[in-house]
Amino acid sequence: MTQAPVLDSLETERLLLRPRRVSEAAVYRHLWTERDPRVPAHRQISPDGRPTIAEVGEQIAGGGEPGLLGVERKGTGDVIGYCGLIGHGSGSPEEPELAYELLRAAHGHGYATEAAQAVVDWAADAGYRRLWAGVRDWNIASRRVLDKLGFRESGAVTRDARHGDSLLTVRDL
């Protein structure tokens, strides 16, 4: 693959995955407020309330994480989170990382699996050879999603007694 393809929209039976909008910044910031307290501080709302809704909107407007798509329920039009591909720590654009996060109210309905499966299928069709996904050892729900998608633990573990070990999973396409 000479230049990485760009993920811009996908559709499933129940969901529309499409570019995130500045007008949805409050939804994406709300995800920050729902994160497990074991999540590292840089992924939590700071003591001074950052990021603010305006800062999240600025990040979206500036094109930050262009591979992340908003996850919208068909029929209702409500945005329930994001899903997509981000750069992987290995520095290899040919092997991006799958990322997803949904509002707690949307948990338990199979939306994460459905959205992520659409992204995995797109990545395979686009010519990617492999995808990665990092997950905390305590995040059982996310580990189940990755298992359903065919990801397997790579053996790479970043030990973290404070926030829980971070496991690196992989899926060959």
Side-chain angles (χ1 to χ4, degrees), residues 20 57-67:
R20 295 177 301 153
E58 289 168 9
Q59 189 260 349
I60 294 168
E65 298 293 358

Side-chain angles (χ1 to χ4, degrees), residues 13-33:
E13 182 180 332
R14 301 181 297 163
L15 304 171
L16 176 62
L17 284 71
R18 44 99 183 130
R20 295 177 301 153
R21 299 175 183 147
V22 173
S23 62
E24 300 157 353
V27 173
Y28 301 119
R29 186 185 185 275
H30 188 72
L31 288 167
W32 286 72
T33 69

